[in-house]
Amino acid sequence: ALVEAAKKKAAFAAVAEHFTSTMRFVGIGSGSTIVYGVEAIKAHLAAHPPPQGHINWFVPTGWNSRKVIEAAGLTPIAFDSLPADAQLEVAFDGADEVDDELNCIKGGGACLFQEKLVACRSKKFVCIADYRKNQQRLLTNWPTIPIEVAPIAYASVIRELVALGSVKPILREHTLSKTGPVQTDQSFYIIDAPFKQLLTAGDVKQGKDGSGKDGVWEVETLARRIKAINGVLEVGLFCGLNGIQAQAAGLLGGQKPV
Ligand code: DER
């Protein structure tokens, strides 16, 4: 209950600060926290109705996200239906872990590819995360980096990840529902790759070595290296690499209740 209350508090704070009824295109992420974000948006629209004839379009980041938008009675628009020059005013999304520089690990829900697509098409990326996600460095509490890969390439990507210092990357399999690998909205696979705790740019500025020696990486350096592996569609590190961190309003509401 404590965690759910923190998620809800974070979501309502994020929406109060970063959503307005006159917005045209708003990205909606995936996972459980974003459900509170959509609830907050719905309440905001009820309290502050948009001008007559104004449509608020919500861009989903996968099947789950679209269902959440529709269940709230909001209007979805597919990413590939957006007007060519349209940019989203804001994208709201959750995260699995967030560091002091607002870099995020994402992909716990296997939606990282469309989440990054939508986040990078937005002027601002607002991460809604409860206190459990808030760590000084990534891979402190969350143990692995989710990576979306073409099915045919998964074994070769695993080999390359091991060469980068990941001790035992694993193909994400279903647990209860069915046997076999999890498939994303793109029918790709997810590899969860453990790495040592990721250094921030600030650590490197203070002289720490994040170049991968002994498997110790700075977050953006590793994100680039993983993204460059043949067969990788997307890596679940949201950082300066794609300008997201620079845009991130990085709202971390729901601080641990005292
Ligand atoms: O997959 C993701 O990146 C999601 O945002 C997700 O992992 C966050 O999920 P949660 O809000 O249920 O913790």
Side-chain angles (χ1 to χ4, degrees):
L2 194 64
V3 169
E4 292 311 306
K7 287 179 179 179
K8 185 162 187 169
K9 187 173 171 222
F12 276 75
V15 167
E17 188 174 345
H18 297 286
F19 176 75
T20 60
S21 306
T22 53
M23 286 180 166
R24 286 190 70 215
F25 299 108
V26 174
I28 298 295
S30 309
S32 63
T33 307
I34 197 61
V35 175
Y36 293 112
V38 168
E39 189 184 319
I41 286 170
K42 185 89 180 148
H44 187 98
L45 286 168
H48 311 277
Q52 186 66 26
H54 179 87
I55 300 179
N56 309 101
W57 299 99
F58 294 90
V59 188
T61 52
W63 190 90
N64 165 271
S65 166
R66 186 183 185 91
K67 289 294 162 203
V68 169
I69 292 167
E70 289 171 345
L74 300 176
T75 314
I77 179 170
F79 181 82
D80 54 343
S81 299
L82 287 169
D85 58 350
Q87 202 181 14
L88 286 63
E89 285 92 343
V90 63
F92 291 101
D93 201 346
D96 300 307
E97 197 163 73
V98 187
D99 72 11
D100 284 353
E101 294 180 1
L102 301 182
N103 301 303
C104 303
I105 293 178
K106 287 178 60 51
C111 299
L112 64 126
F113 170 67
Q114 290 191 34
E115 288 173 336
K116 195 176 280 188
L117 208 53
V118 168
C120 290
R121 186 77 178 265
S122 308
K123 292 185 191 113
K124 188 159 56 171
F125 173 70
V126 176
C127 174
I128 305 177
D130 62 79
Y131 57 87
R132 296 169 304 160
K133 318 296 185 68
N134 210 349
Q135 303 293 340
Q136 189 181 1
R137 297 186 180 91
L138 296 183
L139 294 177
T140 299
N141 201 16
W142 190 271
T144 54
I145 301 171
I147 303 158
E148 184 157 349
V149 302
I152 192 171
Y154 90 86
S156 71
V157 171
I158 284 180
R159 263 196 314 277
E160 299 244 7
L161 288 166
V162 170
L164 290 179
S166 179
V167 176
K168 193 177 181 326
I170 50 162
L171 180 64
R172 191 181 297 182
E173 307 249 0
H174 283 281
T175 44
L176 307 172
S177 46
K178 78 184 254 300
T179 56
V182 165
Q183 293 203 311
T184 67
D185 291 301
Q186 293 64 244
S187 301
F188 271 33
Y189 289 169
I190 295 285
I191 290 172
D192 291 303
F195 277 92
K196 289 180 182 171
Q197 193 183 62
L198 297 176
L199 302 182
T200 62
D203 287 325
V204 172
K205 280 197 192 86
Q206 285 171 13
K208 289 198 169 96
D209 181 353
S211 65
K213 206 173 292 151
D214 307 325
V216 176
W217 293 94
E218 182 270 334
V219 56
E220 190 169 333
T221 312
L222 182 56
R224 288 182 192 283
R225 290 295 294 273
I226 294 175
K227 184 73 184 273
I229 297 173
N230 284 331
V232 169
L233 175 67
E234 193 51 86
V235 55
L237 290 175
F238 283 42
C239 53
L241 162 69
N242 29 62
I244 288 180
Q245 186 223 343
Q247 296 157 3
L251 195 117
L252 292 170
Q255 297 307 330
K256 186 160 193 167
V258 289

